Protein backbone atom coordinates (compact mmCIF):
# COMPACT_ATOMS: atom_id res chain seq x y z
CA UNK A 1 0.00 0.00 0.00
CA UNK A 2 1.35 3.41 -0.98
CA UNK A 3 0.79 6.36 1.36
CA UNK A 4 1.03 9.59 -0.65
CA UNK A 5 1.26 12.88 1.21
CA UNK A 6 1.16 15.33 -1.67
CA UNK A 7 -0.09 15.56 -5.23
CA UNK A 8 3.21 14.71 -6.94
CA UNK A 9 3.74 11.61 -4.82
CA UNK A 10 0.15 10.57 -5.39
CA UNK A 11 0.36 11.13 -9.16
CA UNK A 12 3.34 8.77 -9.48
CA UNK A 13 1.46 5.99 -7.66
CA UNK A 14 -1.80 6.65 -9.55
CA UNK A 15 -0.07 6.38 -12.94
CA UNK A 16 0.79 2.77 -12.17
CA UNK A 17 -2.86 1.74 -11.72
CA UNK A 18 -4.16 0.29 -14.95
CA UNK A 19 -7.79 -0.72 -14.48
CA UNK A 20 -10.97 0.43 -12.72
CA UNK A 21 -10.49 2.53 -9.59
CA UNK A 22 -12.86 2.73 -6.62
CA UNK A 23 -12.43 5.88 -4.53
CA UNK A 24 -13.52 6.40 -0.92
CA UNK A 25 -13.03 10.00 0.27
CA UNK A 26 -12.88 10.34 4.07
CA UNK A 27 -11.82 12.69 6.83
CA UNK A 28 -10.21 9.78 8.73
CA UNK A 29 -11.10 8.38 12.16
CA UNK A 30 -12.27 5.40 10.14
CA UNK A 31 -15.11 3.28 11.57
CA UNK A 32 -17.17 0.33 10.32
CA UNK A 33 -19.18 2.68 8.08
CA UNK A 34 -16.03 3.66 6.18
CA UNK A 35 -14.83 0.05 6.19
CA UNK A 36 -18.04 -1.07 4.49
CA UNK A 37 -17.45 1.56 1.75
CA UNK A 38 -13.85 0.41 1.30
CA UNK A 39 -14.89 -3.26 1.17
CA UNK A 40 -17.50 -2.50 -1.46
CA UNK A 41 -14.97 -0.51 -3.48
CA UNK A 42 -12.58 -3.47 -3.16
CA UNK A 43 -15.22 -5.90 -4.47
CA UNK A 44 -16.26 -3.74 -7.41
CA UNK A 45 -12.93 -2.36 -8.75
CA UNK A 46 -9.42 -3.45 -9.75
CA UNK A 47 -7.86 -0.83 -7.45
CA UNK A 48 -8.95 1.14 -4.37
CA UNK A 49 -7.90 4.63 -3.33
CA UNK A 50 -8.85 6.14 0.05
CA UNK A 51 -8.26 9.80 0.85
CA UNK A 52 -7.86 10.98 4.43
CA UNK A 53 -8.10 14.74 4.68
CA UNK A 54 -9.82 16.83 7.35
CA UNK A 55 -10.99 19.50 4.96
CA UNK A 56 -10.87 22.94 6.65
CA UNK A 57 -13.14 24.69 4.12
CA UNK A 58 -16.21 22.63 5.10
CA UNK A 59 -16.01 23.59 8.78
CA UNK A 60 -17.66 26.82 9.88
CA UNK A 61 -16.14 29.25 12.37
CA UNK A 62 -16.54 27.76 15.86
CA UNK A 63 -17.12 24.19 14.63
CA UNK A 64 -14.99 21.21 15.64
CA UNK A 65 -12.15 21.46 13.06
CA UNK A 66 -9.43 21.53 15.73
CA UNK A 67 -10.82 18.73 17.83
CA UNK A 68 -12.04 16.56 14.93
CA UNK A 69 -10.65 13.06 15.77
CA UNK A 70 -7.37 12.26 13.99
CA UNK A 71 -6.15 8.65 14.11
CA UNK A 72 -3.53 8.33 11.41
CA UNK A 73 -1.86 5.13 12.61
CA UNK A 74 -5.10 3.21 13.15
CA UNK A 75 -6.54 4.51 9.86
CA UNK A 76 -3.52 3.31 7.88
CA UNK A 77 -3.73 -0.11 9.53
CA UNK A 78 -7.42 -0.37 8.62
CA UNK A 79 -6.69 0.60 5.00
CA UNK A 80 -3.87 -1.91 4.76
CA UNK A 81 -6.01 -4.74 6.14
CA UNK A 82 -8.86 -3.81 3.79
CA UNK A 83 -6.57 -4.10 0.75
CA UNK A 84 -6.38 -0.41 -0.20
CA UNK A 85 -3.82 0.34 -2.94
CA UNK A 86 -3.18 4.03 -2.32
CA UNK A 87 -3.98 6.22 0.69
CA UNK A 88 -3.88 9.89 -0.17
CA UNK A 89 -3.19 11.98 2.94
CA UNK A 90 -2.38 15.44 1.64
CA UNK A 91 -1.35 18.45 3.67
CA UNK A 92 -3.64 21.51 3.53
CA UNK A 93 -1.03 23.46 1.51
CA UNK A 94 -0.79 20.77 -1.13
CA UNK A 95 -4.57 20.90 -1.72
CA UNK A 96 -5.38 24.62 -1.43
CA UNK A 97 -3.75 27.58 -3.15
CA UNK A 98 -3.77 31.32 -2.50
CA UNK A 99 -6.74 33.24 -3.92
CA UNK A 100 -8.09 30.22 -5.69
CA UNK A 101 -11.15 29.78 -7.88
CA UNK A 102 -14.24 28.61 -5.98
CA UNK A 103 -17.05 26.22 -6.69
CA UNK A 104 -20.37 27.07 -5.02
CA UNK A 105 -23.19 24.79 -3.87
CA UNK A 106 -26.57 25.37 -5.58
CA UNK A 107 -28.44 28.32 -4.08
CA UNK A 108 -31.49 26.35 -2.95
CA UNK A 109 -30.53 22.71 -2.34
CA UNK A 110 -27.16 23.75 -0.93
CA UNK A 111 -28.69 26.18 1.57
CA UNK A 112 -31.59 24.23 3.10
CA UNK A 113 -31.41 21.79 6.05
CA UNK A 114 -27.69 21.11 6.65
CA UNK A 115 -26.87 24.04 4.39
CA UNK A 116 -29.15 26.36 6.37
CA UNK A 117 -27.67 25.30 9.71
CA UNK A 118 -24.12 25.30 8.31
CA UNK A 119 -24.09 27.99 5.58
CA UNK A 120 -21.13 27.52 3.27
CA UNK A 121 -20.48 23.95 4.45
CA UNK A 122 -21.42 22.42 1.10
CA UNK A 123 -19.30 24.94 -0.84
CA UNK A 124 -16.32 23.51 1.03
CA UNK A 125 -17.42 19.90 0.54
CA UNK A 126 -17.91 20.34 -3.22
CA UNK A 127 -14.68 22.27 -3.57
CA UNK A 128 -12.59 19.52 -1.99
CA UNK A 129 -14.49 16.63 -3.58
CA UNK A 130 -14.02 18.13 -7.05
CA UNK A 131 -10.29 18.48 -6.37
CA UNK A 132 -10.10 14.92 -5.05
CA UNK A 133 -12.00 13.58 -8.07
CA UNK A 134 -9.63 15.39 -10.44
CA UNK A 135 -6.59 14.11 -8.57
CA UNK A 136 -7.69 10.49 -8.07
CA UNK A 137 -9.59 10.05 -11.39
CA UNK A 138 -11.87 7.30 -10.09
CA UNK A 139 -14.18 5.03 -12.05
CA UNK A 140 -16.53 4.71 -9.06
CA UNK A 141 -16.77 6.90 -5.93
CA UNK A 142 -18.42 5.61 -2.78
CA UNK A 143 -20.51 7.78 -0.41
CA UNK A 144 -22.65 6.85 2.60
CA UNK A 145 -26.37 7.63 2.55
CA UNK A 146 -26.03 9.06 6.06
CA UNK A 147 -24.81 12.33 4.56
CA UNK A 148 -27.81 12.30 2.24
CA UNK A 149 -27.70 15.97 1.25
CA UNK A 150 -23.96 15.77 0.59
CA UNK A 151 -24.56 12.71 -1.57
CA UNK A 152 -27.33 14.48 -3.54
CA UNK A 153 -25.17 17.57 -4.13
CA UNK A 154 -22.12 15.56 -5.19
CA UNK A 155 -24.33 13.61 -7.61
CA UNK A 156 -25.56 16.96 -9.00
CA UNK A 157 -22.00 18.24 -9.36
CA UNK A 158 -21.05 15.13 -11.32
CA UNK A 159 -24.03 15.71 -13.63
CA UNK A 160 -23.71 19.52 -13.90
CA UNK A 161 -19.96 19.45 -14.58
CA UNK A 162 -20.07 16.38 -16.87
CA UNK A 163 -17.67 14.39 -14.70
CA UNK A 164 -17.19 10.85 -15.92
CA UNK A 165 -17.52 9.24 -12.48
CA UNK A 166 -20.10 6.79 -11.20
CA UNK A 167 -21.37 7.78 -7.74
CA UNK A 168 -22.26 4.76 -5.64
CA UNK A 169 -24.64 5.46 -2.70
CA UNK A 170 -24.00 3.04 0.18
CA UNK A 171 -26.25 1.96 3.05
CA UNK A 172 -25.95 3.52 6.51
CA UNK A 173 -24.07 1.31 8.97
CA UNK A 174 -25.51 1.26 12.50
CA UNK A 175 -24.38 -0.07 15.86
CA UNK A 176 -26.45 -2.99 17.17
CA UNK A 177 -28.62 -0.57 19.15
CA UNK A 178 -29.42 1.51 16.05
CA UNK A 179 -27.03 4.47 16.42
CA UNK A 180 -25.76 5.46 12.97
CA UNK A 181 -21.96 5.26 12.92
CA UNK A 182 -20.17 8.59 12.79
CA UNK A 183 -16.65 9.74 13.62
CA UNK A 184 -18.31 12.30 15.92
CA UNK A 185 -19.92 9.59 18.10
CA UNK A 186 -16.67 9.51 20.11
CA UNK A 187 -17.64 12.90 21.58
CA UNK A 188 -20.74 11.39 23.29
CA UNK A 189 -20.65 10.51 27.00
CA UNK A 190 -22.38 7.23 28.02
CA UNK A 191 -25.44 9.17 29.10
CA UNK A 192 -25.54 11.21 25.88
CA UNK A 193 -25.12 8.09 23.78
CA UNK A 194 -28.32 6.65 25.29
CA UNK A 195 -30.18 9.87 24.43
CA UNK A 196 -28.64 9.86 20.93
CA UNK A 197 -30.53 6.65 20.22
CA UNK A 198 -33.69 8.76 20.04
CA UNK A 199 -32.68 9.81 16.49
CA UNK A 200 -32.88 6.29 15.07
CA UNK A 201 -35.93 5.55 17.29
CA UNK A 202 -37.75 8.55 15.84
CA UNK A 203 -36.89 7.48 12.29
CA UNK A 204 -38.14 3.98 13.10
CA UNK A 205 -41.38 5.53 14.29
CA UNK A 206 -41.63 7.38 10.96
CA UNK A 207 -41.17 4.11 9.07
CA UNK A 208 -43.77 2.43 11.29
CA UNK A 209 -46.33 5.14 10.44
CA UNK A 210 -45.60 4.70 6.75
CA UNK A 211 -46.19 0.97 7.06
CA UNK A 212 -49.64 1.83 8.45
CA UNK A 213 -50.33 3.92 5.35
CA UNK A 214 -49.80 7.34 7.02
CA UNK A 215 -48.01 9.44 4.39
CA UNK A 216 -48.73 12.98 5.64
CA UNK A 217 -45.38 14.63 6.37
CA UNK A 218 -46.74 16.88 9.16
CA UNK A 219 -48.25 13.92 11.08
CA UNK A 220 -45.05 11.91 10.75
CA UNK A 221 -42.83 14.82 11.82
CA UNK A 222 -45.07 15.56 14.84
CA UNK A 223 -44.84 11.98 16.13
CA UNK A 224 -41.09 11.95 15.58
CA UNK A 225 -40.73 15.26 17.41
CA UNK A 226 -42.48 13.77 20.47
CA UNK A 227 -39.68 11.20 20.76
CA UNK A 228 -36.85 13.60 20.00
CA UNK A 229 -37.82 16.51 22.19
CA UNK A 230 -37.71 14.35 25.34
CA UNK A 231 -34.14 13.29 24.56
CA UNK A 232 -32.09 15.77 22.57
CA UNK A 233 -30.75 19.11 23.77
CA UNK A 234 -31.58 20.96 20.57
CA UNK A 235 -33.56 19.74 17.62
CA UNK A 236 -32.20 21.35 14.44
CA UNK A 237 -34.75 19.85 12.06
CA UNK A 238 -36.96 16.96 11.09
CA UNK A 239 -37.55 17.03 7.34
CA UNK A 240 -39.14 14.93 4.68
CA UNK A 241 -37.77 15.44 1.18
CA UNK A 242 -37.84 13.70 -2.15
CA UNK A 243 -34.60 12.38 -3.65
CA UNK A 244 -34.05 15.75 -5.36
CA UNK A 245 -34.09 17.31 -1.89
CA UNK A 246 -37.34 19.19 -2.19
CA UNK A 247 -39.50 19.23 0.95
CA UNK A 248 -42.74 17.31 0.35
CA UNK A 249 -46.14 17.33 2.10
CA UNK A 250 -46.74 13.68 1.44
CA UNK A 251 -44.22 10.84 1.44
CA UNK A 252 -43.63 9.40 -2.03
CA UNK A 253 -42.82 5.77 -1.29
CA UNK A 254 -39.60 4.75 -3.04
CA UNK A 255 -38.57 8.38 -3.63
CA UNK A 256 -38.33 10.02 -0.19
CA UNK A 257 -35.90 10.57 2.64
CA UNK A 258 -36.80 11.35 6.26
CA UNK A 259 -34.02 13.29 7.97
CA UNK A 260 -33.21 14.48 11.47
CA UNK A 261 -30.46 16.66 12.91
CA UNK A 262 -30.04 17.38 16.60
CA UNK A 263 -27.58 18.26 19.30
CA UNK A 264 -27.04 15.80 22.13
CA UNK A 265 -24.84 17.65 24.60
CA UNK A 266 -22.40 19.55 22.38
CA UNK A 267 -22.43 16.95 19.65
CA UNK A 268 -24.42 17.53 16.51
CA UNK A 269 -25.80 14.31 15.02
CA UNK A 270 -27.61 13.60 11.77
CA UNK A 271 -29.48 10.50 10.65
CA UNK A 272 -32.03 9.53 8.02
CA UNK A 273 -33.95 6.74 6.34
CA UNK A 274 -34.65 6.33 2.65
CA UNK A 275 -38.23 5.27 2.14
O1 LIG B 1 -18.20 12.88 4.20
C1 LIG B 1 -17.05 13.27 4.48
O2 LIG B 1 -16.29 12.63 5.24
C2 LIG B 1 -16.51 14.55 3.85
O3 LIG B 1 -17.52 15.50 3.72
C3 LIG B 1 -15.80 14.32 2.50
C4 LIG B 1 -16.75 13.78 1.45
C5 LIG B 1 -14.64 13.35 2.70
C6 LIG B 1 -15.24 15.65 1.98
O4 LIG B 1 -14.34 16.21 2.86
Amino acid sequence: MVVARDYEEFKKAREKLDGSVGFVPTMGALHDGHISLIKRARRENDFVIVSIFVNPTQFLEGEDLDKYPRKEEADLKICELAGVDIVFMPTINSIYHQDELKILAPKIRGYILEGAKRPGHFDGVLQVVLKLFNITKPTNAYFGKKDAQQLALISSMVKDYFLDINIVPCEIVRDKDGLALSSRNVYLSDEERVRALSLSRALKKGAELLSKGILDSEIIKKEMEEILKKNVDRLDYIAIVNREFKEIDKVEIGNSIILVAAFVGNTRLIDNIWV
Side-chain angles (χ1 to χ4, degrees):
M1 183 174 85
V2 174
V3 180
R5 293 185 189 265
D6 65 30
Y7 173 62
E8 293 306 327
E9 228 181 301
F10 177 83
K11 201 166 164 230
K12 274 198 207 113
R14 174 67 182 90
E15 276 163 8
K16 295 193 182 122
L17 307 185
D18 184 13
S20 62
V21 169
F23 174 47
V24 182
T26 80
M27 297 206 298
L30 303 181
H31 52 62
D32 283 349
H34 298 111
I35 295 171
S36 78
L37 304 182
I38 297 171
K39 281 190 175 156
R40 183 157 175 198
R42 187 64 285 167
R43 282 198 304 277
E44 296 179 355
N45 300 275
D46 298 323
F47 301 100
V48 177
I49 297 172
V50 171
S51 65
I52 299 176
F53 180 62
V54 182
N55 172 38
T57 64
Q58 70 188 76
F59 288 80
L60 270 63
E61 200 69 34
E63 287 190 344
D64 57 345
L65 173 62
D66 293 336
K67 70 168 190 154
Y68 195 83
R70 286 162 172 87
K71 299 184 174 169
E72 177 174 327
E73 206 182 318
D75 288 349
L76 290 178
K77 197 85 226 144
I78 287 170
C79 288
E80 185 145 34
L81 290 172
V84 172
D85 296 284
I86 312 178
V87 178
F88 183 42
M89 294 185 89
T91 57
I92 293 175
N93 288 341
S94 67
I95 286 288
Y96 287 108
H97 310 119
Q98 288 293 323
D99 189 28
E100 70 170 47
L101 185 154
K102 292 274 164 33
I103 172 159
L104 299 175
K107 287 226 155 30
I108 300 170
R109 286 171 306 142
Y111 285 87
I112 57 166
L113 306 174
E114 284 306 287
K117 294 292 166 190
R118 307 177 71 191
H121 166 69
F122 288 121
D123 296 345
V125 170
L126 295 174
Q127 185 184 15
V128 79
V129 170
L130 182 58
K131 284 170 185 268
L132 292 170
F133 281 171
N134 285 333
I135 294 168
T136 59
K137 301 182 179 35
T139 319
N140 299 300
Y142 295 80
F143 291 90
K145 287 181 173 179
K146 179 164 165 291
D147 293 303
Q149 196 171 358
Q150 164 174 286
L151 172 58
L153 294 173
I154 289 169
S155 301
S156 286
M157 178 174 75
V158 164
K159 182 166 166 262
D160 295 346
Y161 283 78
F162 302 95
L163 304 181
D164 193 13
I165 297 167
N166 179 41
I167 300 297
V168 186
C170 300
E171 293 309 321
I172 296 175
V173 179
R174 297 178 181 281
D175 267 336
K176 279 196 196 73
D177 54 13
L179 185 69
L181 297 192
S182 160
S183 303
R184 290 189 168 99
N185 289 353
V186 296
Y187 301 151
L188 297 167
S189 68
D190 290 348
E191 179 271 331
E192 287 167 350
R193 202 184 173 292
V194 172
R195 291 193 287 122
L197 293 176
S198 61
L199 274 78
S200 55
R201 249 197 345 266
L203 289 166
K204 217 163 143 195
K205 180 75 187 175
E208 215 175 279
L209 295 170
L210 291 180
S211 70
K212 290 183 185 151
I214 297 167
L215 301 177
D216 188 289
S217 298
E218 280 317 309
I219 298 175
I220 295 169
K221 288 198 279 189
K222 192 120 206 73
E223 295 254 355
M224 288 175 61
E225 193 182 335
E226 287 299 313
I227 296 172
L228 287 161
K229 73 181 184 201
K230 288 184 206 130
N231 289 284
V232 303
D233 295 299
R234 193 178 97 200
L235 180 57
D236 265 357
Y237 60 78
I238 305 172
I240 303 186
V241 298
N242 64 17
R243 303 276 164 97
E244 284 72 52
F245 261 84
K246 294 214 176 76
E247 295 222 40
I248 46 178
D249 297 335
K250 213 170 157 200
V251 174
E252 302 158 11
I253 297 291
N255 188 39
S256 305
I257 310 172
I258 310 181
L259 308 115
V260 293
F263 275 88
V264 178
N266 291 323
T267 307
R268 187 169 186 279
L269 299 170
I270 59 171
D271 199 355
N272 64 68
I273 47 168
W274 296 47
V275 290

